[in-house]
């Protein structure tokens, strides 16, 4: 019964992944004959300035986006778990970005971040002269971070909502009886009991941010610019393989990214992955 | 058609003899061809190219209908690859990997042609050119040379466009400038008169990609590489002079990049009325007609530097891939599309300029005088190209260094030295 599923997994997931490992030891431009080069792709990558720029961009993206989106998602979820008017509408509104295509959202944000776009229009009302968000290396990646937090928070909000509803109400009632105020109830009951949910959200967030590609690709027009400020590891992989004809380099970065993601997940697992005791 | 008819009437028996070698070559990989009758075997060939706009795909489909009337046995499956920039080449590469490349493809300039030729992905067309008496002399050598290597021709240039100077005539009139600049010093004076930063209007708006500044190097008597493309010449005194002139236009605040005015490319900034001048190609004309029809503009040849007024041109060719099972049918398609009459039909669409010298005098251009600047630039242009393996260098390193130079974070000379060293080391590693 499981054979078709295993076959699909091998053909489309494990097979290509193993092939990427294999390719990382070869020099190949897609068009020419591939030949074995040992570890020289890795030597090149580790001494390449561009690779470390991409590592820095990806890491800072993950470090800022994961905590922010987790926090924002949690706060919105807790708020929308109350008996608010128009709760359904608000839930929909926050969830909406998660079901929209990230390409569409990226294009909308290109308008927002345009030198004479919506954001700078608002800032001008406040008397602030806004920067050229996407064309300025100082702001380009941060602009994508803001957009990403906005996009993914809604999805994780739904995850948190389901987690919240799994917490038994009688614990809150008991705490209230004992005189715990709203903040105490939140910090001593909600947050600890949500730990399995938080674990899921953080792991998915780390994996998602380490693999960020589409938003950088669209907002920078595929270049990762200005001045490589939005070049992420996956964008670099894409560029090496499909644009620059350096499949070996791209495969080597893929292997390194796999290692990074695994290490990051293991760390999160150690930190949040323990089972909770009531 | 006519030729074939004559053979048919005069020597009925020899028809199969004549066509047998061609068909044998066409079907060399399929064993069935030996048993089936050699003539009238319907074949299907695929044609892929990018599309500058949906209009291009529509118009090409229409033109292909004429081909299937002429050759009822050859069915052309036109599969355009949409998307911008390098998307087309990326997808095409994956088709080559799968061993399933289209029979006929658009072959691009800027290092793509040299890469495909170096990897033997295209087949030489010499024998077809010879056997069908296809006139090759009419083509501009600058565009044909891009698809030639070692005496072999790997692609027939279908069209091209050089960069010329587009200028906003109402802005020029308002500033009291009567004619487009013809020299560097006039250009420097004019951009100053036309710039108005408070209204976000600049004399010249262009991105800083290499094909937007390399012409200034040529105009100063320098260049990016030597003619045999074995050495970079970015740091020659003439190259430094040309590059510094370009960078100074930006540093002085009279030229800027498109994002400064909220545009994504120079042509858009020009259409928005934010740029008084832009260096652009023929593709800007249909874009302006469709998107910014109210803009008043004209074209002119580039202003002359100390040496000349050379520009870059971007020829695109049709080539036959090594995967093609029907190369002779593919050749029929290419010769149909790029023949004197085929190219005339294509030129009347106004998407690009001819690669045949005889077609610059088409009546179409008399009716569309706005193309005059581009046409006059054609004889003074060099086809844009790089050796294989320079995509990353030309699309990022050269852009980054020039960005640093125009933002005054690096001297023009230092930017050129960095590019020279980077480019030279790629060349050395390619040869080593």
């Amino acid at each position: 019964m499981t054979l078709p599923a295993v076959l699909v997994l091998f053909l489309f997931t494990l097979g290509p992944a193993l092939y990427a490992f294999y390719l990382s030891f070869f020099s190949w431009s897609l068009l020419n004959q591939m030949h074995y080069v040992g570890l020289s792709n890795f030597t090149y990558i580790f001494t390449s300035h561009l690779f470390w720029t991409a590592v820095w961009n990806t890491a800072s993206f993950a470090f800022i986006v994961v905590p922010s989106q987790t926090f924002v998602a949690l706060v919105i979820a807790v708020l929308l778990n109350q008996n608010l008017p128009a709760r359904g509408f608000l839930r929909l509104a926050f969830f909406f970005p998660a079901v929209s295509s990230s390409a569409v959202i990226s294009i909308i944000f290109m308008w927002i971040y345009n030198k004479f776009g919506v954001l700078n229009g608002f800032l001008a009302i406040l008397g602030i002269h806004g920067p050229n968000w996407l064309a300025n290396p100082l702001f380009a990646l941060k602009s994508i971070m803001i957009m990403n937090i906005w996009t993914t928070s809604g999805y994780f909000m739904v995850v948190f909502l389901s987690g919240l509803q799994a917490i038994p109400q009688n614990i809150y009632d008991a705490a209230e009886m004992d005189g715990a105020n709203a903040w105490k109830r939140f910090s001593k009951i909600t947050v600890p009991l949500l730990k399995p949910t938080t674990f899921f959200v953080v792991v998915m967030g780390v994996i998602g941010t380490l693999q960020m590609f589409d938003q950088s690709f669209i907002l920078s027009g595929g270049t990762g610019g200005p001045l490589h400020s939005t070049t992420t590891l996956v964008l670099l992989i894409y560029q090496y393989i499909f644009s620059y004809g350096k499949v070996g380099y791209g495969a080597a970065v893929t292997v390194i990214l796999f290692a990074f993601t695994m290490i990051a997940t293991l760390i999160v697992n150690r930190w949040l992955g323990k089972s909770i005791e009531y | 058609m006519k030729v074939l008819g004559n053979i048919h009437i005069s020597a009925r028996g020899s028809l199969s003899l004549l066509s047998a070698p061609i068909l044998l070559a066409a079907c060399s990989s399929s064993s069935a061809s030996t048993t089936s009758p050699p003539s009238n075997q319907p074949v299907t060939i695929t044609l892929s190219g990018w599309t500058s706009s949906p209009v291009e795909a529509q118009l090409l489909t229409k033109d292909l209908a004429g081909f299937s009337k002429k050759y009822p046995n050859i069915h052309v499956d036109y599969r355009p690859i949409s998307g911008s920039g390098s998307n087309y080449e990326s997808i095409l590469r994956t088709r080559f990997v799968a061993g399933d490349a289209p029979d006929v493809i658009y072959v691009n300039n800027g290092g793509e042609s040299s890469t495909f030729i170096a990897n033997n992905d295209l087949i030489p067309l010499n024998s077809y050119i010879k056997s069908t008496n296809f006139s090759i002399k009419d083509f501009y050598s600058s565009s044909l040379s891009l698809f030639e290597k070692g005496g072999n021709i790997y692609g027939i240039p279908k069209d091209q466009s050089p960069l010329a100077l587009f200028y906003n005539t109402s802005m020029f009139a308002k500033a009291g400038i009567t004619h487009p600049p013809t020299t560097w010093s006039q250009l420097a004076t004019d951009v100053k008169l036309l710039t108005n930063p408070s209204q976000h209007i600049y004399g010249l708006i262009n991105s800083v990609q290499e094909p937007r500044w390399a012409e200034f190097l040529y105009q100063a008597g320098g260049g990016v590489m030597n003619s045999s493309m074995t050495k970079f010449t970015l740091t020659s005194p003439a190259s430094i002079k040309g590059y510094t002139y370009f960078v100074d236009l930006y540093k002085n605040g009279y030229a800027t990049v498109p994002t400064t005015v909220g545009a994504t490319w120079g042509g858009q900034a020009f259409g928005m009325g934010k740029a008084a001048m832009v260096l652009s190609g023929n593709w800007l004309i249909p874009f302006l007609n469709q998107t910014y029809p109210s803009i008043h503009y004209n074209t002119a040849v580039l202003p002359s530097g100390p040496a000349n007024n050379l520009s870059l041109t971007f020829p695109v060719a049709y080539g036959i891939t090594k995967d093609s099972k029907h190369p002779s049918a593919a050749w029929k398609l290419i010769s149909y599309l790029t023949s004197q009459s085929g190219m005339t039909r294509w030129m009347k669409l106004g998407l690009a300029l001819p690669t045949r010298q005889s077609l610059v005098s088409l009546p179409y251009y008399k009716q569309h005088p706005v193309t005059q600047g581009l046409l006059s630039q054609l004889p003074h242009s060099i086809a844009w190209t790089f050796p294989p393996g320079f995509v990353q260098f030309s699309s990022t390193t050269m852009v980054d260094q020039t960005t640093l130079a125009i933002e005054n974070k690096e001297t023009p000379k230092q930017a050129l030295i960095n590019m020279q060293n980077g480019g030279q080391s790629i060349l050395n590693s390619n040869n080593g």
Side-chain angles (χ1 to χ4, degrees):
Chain A
M1 271 309 272
T2 53
L3 186 69
V6 171
L7 264 181
V8 167
L9 188 71
F10 261 96
L11 257 177
F12 295 108
T13 309
L14 283 176
L18 291 174
Y19 192 52
F21 271 90
Y22 172 80
L23 282 178
S24 65
F25 300 105
F26 286 83
S27 167
W28 187 33
S29 79
L30 288 179
L31 296 176
N32 63 1
Q33 207 69 36
M34 59 171 97
H35 61 271
Y36 180 76
V37 292
L39 285 172
S40 77
N41 288 332
F42 289 94
T43 324
Y44 174 86
I45 288 298
F46 280 120
T47 53
S48 144
H49 192 68
L50 185 56
F51 169 72
W52 291 109
T53 307
V55 169
W56 169 251
N57 288 340
T58 309
S60 56
F61 189 81
F63 267 109
I64 293 175
V65 170
V66 174
S68 311
Q69 77 189 10
T70 309
F71 178 73
V72 171
L74 178 61
V75 169
I76 299 172
V78 170
L79 289 177
L80 292 186
N81 204 29
Q82 320 293 318
N83 257 327
L84 289 180
R87 192 170 64 168
F89 170 77
L90 287 172
R91 281 182 184 175
L92 175 76
F94 283 112
F95 189 62
F96 187 68
V99 291
S100 312
S101 139
S102 76
V104 172
I105 289 172
S106 301
I107 288 169
I108 294 171
F109 269 77
M110 279 173 88
W111 284 86
I112 295 174
Y113 287 135
N114 187 296
K115 177 88 189 289
F116 302 101
V118 180
L119 180 57
N120 280 351
F122 274 117
L123 291 176
I125 296 171
L126 304 172
I128 302 169
H129 185 72
N132 197 350
W133 294 93
L134 295 174
N136 188 326
L138 283 177
F139 293 100
L141 190 64
K142 294 177 184 76
S143 307
I144 299 179
M145 289 175 183
I146 293 168
M147 177 179 119
N148 198 289
I149 292 167
W150 177 79
T151 317
T152 45
S153 295
Y155 172 72
F156 290 129
M157 170 203 78
V158 172
V159 178
F160 273 127
L161 268 177
S162 70
L164 284 173
Q165 274 154 21
I167 300 176
Q169 183 61 35
N170 56 9
I171 301 178
Y172 287 106
D173 294 341
E176 205 170 356
M177 206 75 89
D178 290 342
N181 60 19
W183 169 248
K184 276 252 163 74
R185 290 199 301 272
F186 173 73
S187 60
K188 301 284 179 194
I189 299 172
T190 311
V191 173
L193 291 190
L194 271 180
K195 218 165 139 191
T197 314
T198 314
F199 173 64
F200 173 78
V201 168
V202 172
V203 168
M204 294 313 281
V206 167
I207 294 173
T209 48
L210 289 182
Q211 294 183 352
M212 198 273 280
F213 164 76
D214 41 1
Q215 296 159 345
S216 263
F217 184 82
I218 295 169
L219 289 177
S220 72
T223 62
L227 297 175
H228 298 297
S229 60
T230 62
T231 303
T232 60
L233 282 169
V234 182
L235 181 58
L236 187 65
I237 292 167
Y238 173 86
Q239 288 178 332
Y240 272 139
I241 295 179
F242 294 108
S243 305
Y244 304 156
K246 311 268 186 202
V247 178
Y249 294 166
V253 180
T254 310
V255 171
I256 297 164
L257 177 62
F258 168 74
F260 281 170
T261 312
M262 202 163 77
I263 292 167
T265 311
L266 287 176
I267 292 172
V268 175
N269 189 32
R270 276 218 117 155
W271 173 43
L272 288 170
K274 288 172 218 130
S275 60
I276 46 166
E277 296 102 30
Y278 284 79
Chain B
M1 197 65 186
K2 211 174 164 186
V3 176
L4 218 99
N6 285 341
I7 295 170
H8 191 74
I9 294 159
S10 60
R12 202 185 163 93
S14 66
L15 174 64
S16 56
L17 258 171
L18 265 170
S19 52
I22 301 170
L23 268 151
L24 254 166
C27 310
S28 56
S29 58
S30 77
S31 53
S33 64
T34 48
T35 51
S36 57
S39 58
N40 293 329
Q41 183 90 333
V43 296
T44 298
I45 52 173
T46 49
L47 163 67
S48 282
W50 65 88
T51 50
S52 59
S53 66
V55 184
E56 180 173 349
Q58 279 170 23
L59 296 172
L60 188 54
T61 309
K62 224 163 116 190
D63 201 16
L64 290 172
F67 177 77
S68 50
K69 257 192 212 125
K70 196 172 170 187
Y71 299 100
N73 283 335
I74 304 173
H75 174 68
V76 181
D77 185 5
Y78 174 46
R79 292 191 201 157
I81 295 172
S82 61
S84 58
S86 61
N87 195 34
Y88 168 75
E89 273 88 16
S90 302
I91 293 173
L92 201 58
R93 280 178 164 82
T94 62
R95 298 263 170 89
F96 272 107
V97 174
D100 180 32
D103 296 87
V104 180
I105 56 167
Y106 283 21
V107 187
N108 206 354
N109 45 64
E112 291 297 338
S113 59
S114 59
T115 304
F116 281 114
I117 294 170
N119 291 316
N120 299 315
D121 289 316
L122 302 171
I123 61 166
L125 304 175
N126 299 38
S127 57
Y128 298 105
I129 292 168
K130 217 173 161 187
S131 65
T132 56
N133 290 321
F134 187 81
S135 79
I136 208 78
K137 272 192 233 117
D138 191 18
F139 287 86
Y140 281 101
S141 59
S142 59
S143 56
L144 193 60
S145 65
L146 210 53
F147 309 99
E148 273 179 318
K149 194 190 170 193
N152 285 333
I153 295 172
Y154 292 91
I156 304 296
K158 69 181 192 81
D159 58 28
Q160 64 175 332
S161 178
L163 291 177
L165 186 75
F166 283 69
Y167 61 102
N168 184 315
T169 45
S170 11
M171 283 188 193
F172 268 60
K174 217 170 113 193
I177 307 169
T178 51
H179 58 85
T182 55
T183 63
W184 275 12
S185 62
Q186 280 178 21
L187 177 63
T189 321
D190 289 351
V191 286
K192 195 171 170 181
L193 284 169
L194 291 158
T195 300
N196 186 344
S198 66
Q199 288 183 28
H200 307 290
I201 292 173
Y202 294 85
L204 180 73
I205 298 186
N206 265 128
S207 63
V208 291
Q209 287 151 330
E210 188 262 356
R212 298 296 178 282
W213 51 257
E215 47 273 56
F216 290 92
L217 274 59
Y218 295 118
Q219 288 163 11
V224 177
M225 297 182 88
N226 62 356
S227 56
S228 53
M229 296 208 296
T230 52
K231 227 176 81 186
F232 275 86
T233 56
L234 287 163
T235 45
S236 76
S239 293
I240 294 175
K241 190 175 177 184
Y243 189 73
T244 308
Y245 175 83
F246 171 84
V247 169
D248 281 347
L249 292 174
Y250 287 75
K251 281 212 292 208
N252 295 335
Y254 306 133
T256 190
V257 289
T259 51
T260 313
V261 298
T264 48
W265 61 294
Q268 190 193 2
F270 186 74
M272 287 158 67
K274 297 293 180 192
M277 286 180 270
V278 64
L279 304 191
S280 193
N282 189 81
W283 54 83
L284 184 54
I285 295 175
F287 173 77
L288 290 176
N289 289 344
Q290 279 165 24
T291 319
Y292 299 101
S294 58
I295 201 100
H296 296 286
Y297 69 97
N298 205 348
T299 62
V301 292
L302 295 186
S304 295
N308 54 51
N309 75 336
L310 277 180
S311 182
L312 291 167
T313 185
F314 306 90
V316 177
Y318 284 119
I320 302 177
T321 63
K322 62 162 191 229
D323 295 345
S324 175
K325 294 189 175 65
H326 309 289
S328 65
W331 170 254
K332 285 199 181 90
L333 175 64
I334 292 181
S335 55
Y336 170 81
L337 291 168
T338 57
S339 66
Q340 186 91 13
S341 56
M343 198 179 287
T344 307
R345 284 193 307 273
W346 189 241
M347 287 309 125
K348 281 185 188 154
L349 311 176
L351 297 174
L353 295 184
T355 42
R356 285 176 174 274
Q357 301 175 49
S358 58
L359 295 188
V360 280
S361 50
L362 277 184
Y364 173 86
Y365 297 117
K366 299 264 166 5
Q367 296 146 21
H368 296 81
V370 80
T371 49
Q372 200 47 56
L374 291 155
L375 283 170
S376 314
Q377 187 71 60
L378 263 188
H380 310 283
S381 49
I382 305 171
W384 182 55
T385 191
F386 277 98
F390 276 84
V391 181
Q392 181 178 12
F393 181 73
S394 65
S395 64
T396 63
T397 310
M398 292 182 119
V399 176
D400 292 350
Q401 290 300 323
T402 309
T403 303
L404 293 172
I406 65 164
E407 286 175 359
N408 213 3
K409 289 174 184 149
E410 198 171 81
T411 62
K413 193 178 170 183
Q414 188 57 49
L416 286 172
I417 291 172
N418 294 347
M419 287 188 257
Q420 172 83 20
N421 294 341
Q424 203 61 43
S425 77
I426 299 174
L427 267 186
N428 296 344
S429 69
N430 281 1
N431 296 334

